[in-house]
């Protein structure tokens, strides 16, 4: 019923910047909180940033001041602007959204992920 598709991953040098995007599509009635998670090999999946429909944000301490999450409710998209990237930011970044569809109550949906590699 709902698909989340991430884009924008790639290879970036330390100190560089990159912008990730996620677009939701399907039988969407409304979308609540949208989030970015990341998972590196051998590590647990962690919340990177989240934004409510009203625009309230929350960031992991490790990215605070470097990353900015934003959303466009009309387009059902969420973005993550990443600046001053570090090698430890290397991970698969996954989009998550709380969605109410035309036939189902609020549920979490996940994208397949996009890989960010920060290396020189």
């Amino acid at each position: 019923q709902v698909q989340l598709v991430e884009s924008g991953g790639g290879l970036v040098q330390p100190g560089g910047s990159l912008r990730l995007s996620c677009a939701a599509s399907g039988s969407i009635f409304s979308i609540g909180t949208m989030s970015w998670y990341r998972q590196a090999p051998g590590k647990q999946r962690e919340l990177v940033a989240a934004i409510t429909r009203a625009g309230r944000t929350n960031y992991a301490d490790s990215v605070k001041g470097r990353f900015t999450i934003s959303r466009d409710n009309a387009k059902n998209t969420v973005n993550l602007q990443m600046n001053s990237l570090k090698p430890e930011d290397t991970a698969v970044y996954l989009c998550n959204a709380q969605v109410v569809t035309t036939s189902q109550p609020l549920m979490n949906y996940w994208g397949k992920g996009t890989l960010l590699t920060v290396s020189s």
Side-chain angles (χ1 to χ4, degrees):
Q1 292 184 328
V2 177
Q3 295 184 52
L4 301 178
V5 180
E6 303 97 337
S7 62
L11 175 63
V12 185
Q13 294 187 347
S17 299
L18 202 67
R19 185 178 180 87
L20 304 181
S21 297
C22 173
S25 62
S27 302
I28 299 172
F29 181 79
S30 65
I31 302 179
T33 298
M34 302 185 82
S35 308
W36 286 97
Y37 287 75
R38 67 185 181 188
Q39 188 163 24
K43 296 184 178 180
Q44 294 183 332
R45 183 175 297 180
E46 66 172 336
L47 175 66
V48 177
I51 182 168
T52 69
R53 185 172 182 84
R56 297 187 184 277
T57 59
N58 184 43
Y59 297 93
D61 289 340
S62 60
V63 308
K64 195 170 298 182
R66 299 188 297 121
F67 291 10
T68 302
I69 189 171
S70 62
R71 65 188 290 168
D72 187 330
N73 292 337
K75 296 181 179 180
N76 291 331
T77 59
V78 62
N79 303 309
L80 186 68
Q81 178 65 47
M82 304 179 292
N83 300 324
S84 302
L85 285 164
K86 305 174 181 179
E88 48 263 47
D89 293 320
T90 296
V92 173
Y93 284 72
L94 303 105
C95 178
N96 173 272
Q98 297 180 348
V99 182
V100 176
T101 70
T102 55
S103 61
Q104 297 293 136
L106 188 71
M107 293 181 64
N108 275 332
Y109 293 87
W110 292 90
K112 294 182 179 180
T114 185
L115 177 63
L116 167 67
T117 302
V118 184
S119 176
S120 59

